[in-house]
Amino acid sequence: MASPRPTIALVVGGLLAAGLAGTTAASARAGDGSPVATPPPPALLSCPARYDGTEDRPVVPTYDAPDGFDPGDALAPAQTPRRALVCLYAAGTNAEPAPPPRPLSDELELTGGLAQVATDLSGAPESGSFDGCGEVGGPLTHQLVGLEYPTGTVWVSATDEANACVLGSNGDFTTDGAVGRQVAKAVADGGWVVPTQGERPVCGATEAVGRAGVDSELVPADPVALWVCRVDTDVPGRSSGTFAVLRADRPRLLAALRALPTRAASGDLLCVDDTADRWQVEARYERGAPVVLDVTTGACGPGGVVSNGALEADVSGEVVALLRRTTTQP
């Protein structure tokens, strides 16, 4: 069902008061002593006490956009904000959403990655309709992102939902639900995720990947989980899903990968023949973007190749055996 055009909610209380306080033009003296008008200071960011939107009708507080930015052209300015505040409103589950209004449940000021905020939000694709969500159940959290600039503010509604299907909006421009996941990840990390390798397909989805250290180790630092999927187009049944590497196998797989002699990656693994097995291994961390490995057997190298996009190595029989076992577990 297509949604009505997202509306801008009028939020009363401290936010509105701050906005009204900023509407009185200050005066100053020019060089000849005559008074001149100066722009009012932008309203201070403050989380609204409640969120009145619904899953098919995102709303945002009123705001004065910064100079040169038209909210109908993009979700946020390409300019780096000087502050980014996230306001969270727990809304039950996507199967049984709590009715509005939803009270403020938490708030967080992001302290890192503000330049990436500008890159990701200003480049978010336009999407104008809500067609319902898929069947994956999970918690539902509405998020308001307040962005402060020298000459104004912008508010963005971005809902965290398991299917990433609830539209994001600044009141004029709407985008798909991926922005909700980005905001939720930033809240978990305390700062916006800054991927070193951009976005790429990972096990049927698109993710921002890469972190410091990928140019020195296939799997840098200490991941908290490893996930594996097969990407063979002709593999039916159980092995075509995404699987967590068993806890007992995780240190073995990490040790086997780190034991491989590496070299600079030569590019995409294009030397795959019909006999090759292909996997993606996603190393997830407590904070920050994951590292993704492409692994193939067959015609690439003596027994296959593994690559994280910056480094590659000839894959070993032990790595292949562990991946096969992971993707055929009951």
Side-chain angles (χ1 to χ4, degrees):
M1 177 182 69
S3 69
R5 185 174 181 270
T7 58
I8 298 179
L10 178 63
V11 178
V12 298
L15 182 66
L16 180 58
L20 292 175
T23 59
T24 302
S27 63
R29 294 284 172 180
D32 60 2
S34 61
V36 294
T38 59
L44 297 177
L45 291 181
S46 176
C47 284
R50 69 186 198 184
Y51 181 81
D52 292 317
T54 59
E55 288 60 66
D56 61 349
R57 180 179 170 271
V59 297
V60 298
T62 55
Y63 60 83
D64 292 321
D67 294 347
F69 174 64
D70 183 343
D73 290 341
L75 193 63
Q79 175 187 3
T80 299
R82 62 185 184 186
R83 289 183 63 208
L85 177 68
V86 182
C87 313
L88 305 176
Y89 304 85
T93 68
N94 54 8
E96 296 182 1
R102 287 76 177 245
L104 179 69
S105 54
D106 203 358
E107 61 182 270
L108 174 74
E109 183 159 344
L110 303 181
T111 57
L114 296 187
Q116 192 70 36
V117 171
T119 297
D120 290 344
L121 296 189
S122 67
E126 188 169 16
S127 178
S129 63
F130 171 78
D131 297 319
C133 293
E135 298 180 355
V136 178
L140 181 69
T141 303
H142 293 293
Q143 305 164 127
L144 289 174
V145 183
L147 304 171
E148 182 183 288
Y149 304 87
T151 61
T153 58
V154 172
W155 282 93
V156 172
S157 173
T159 297
D160 181 24
E161 190 275 333
N163 302 279
C165 66
V166 180
L167 296 176
S169 176
N170 65 10
D172 289 297
F173 184 97
T174 59
T175 188
D176 59 38
V179 67
R181 286 182 173 173
Q182 285 182 298
V183 174
K185 180 64 174 172
V187 169
D189 289 359
W192 203 263
V193 175
V194 182
T196 63
Q197 296 172 306
E199 292 189 347
R200 56 156 298 176
V202 182
C203 295
T206 299
E207 291 191 47
V209 305
R211 58 193 299 116
V214 292
D215 55 352
S216 57
E217 287 186 280
L218 283 173
V219 184
D222 296 311
V224 296
L226 296 174
W227 291 79
V228 182
C229 68
R230 291 195 68 150
V231 292
D232 313 63
T233 58
D234 57 350
V235 177
R238 292 185 315 218
S239 61
S240 60
T242 301
F243 301 86
V245 176
L246 298 175
R247 184 179 297 273
D249 287 339
R250 194 186 306 162
R252 290 184 57 197
L253 181 57
L254 282 173
L257 288 167
R258 287 168 173 165
L260 301 176
T262 59
R263 55 186 178 268
S266 56
D268 294 336
L269 302 182
L270 301 177
C271 51
V272 177
D273 66 12
D274 293 338
T275 66
D277 294 313
R278 288 175 286 162
W279 298 273
Q280 285 183 329
V281 180
E282 182 180 6
R284 298 180 184 175
Y285 298 81
E286 184 177 359
R287 295 179 180 273
V291 170
V292 176
L293 306 178
D294 291 291
V295 186
T296 184
T297 65
C300 297
V305 170
V306 53
S307 172
N308 68 6
L311 294 176
E312 69 180 28
D314 295 328
V315 74
S316 66
E318 183 179 11
V319 169
V320 170
L322 287 168
L323 296 182
R324 283 178 175 158
R325 183 162 76 179
T326 298
T327 52
T328 54
Q329 59 183 278

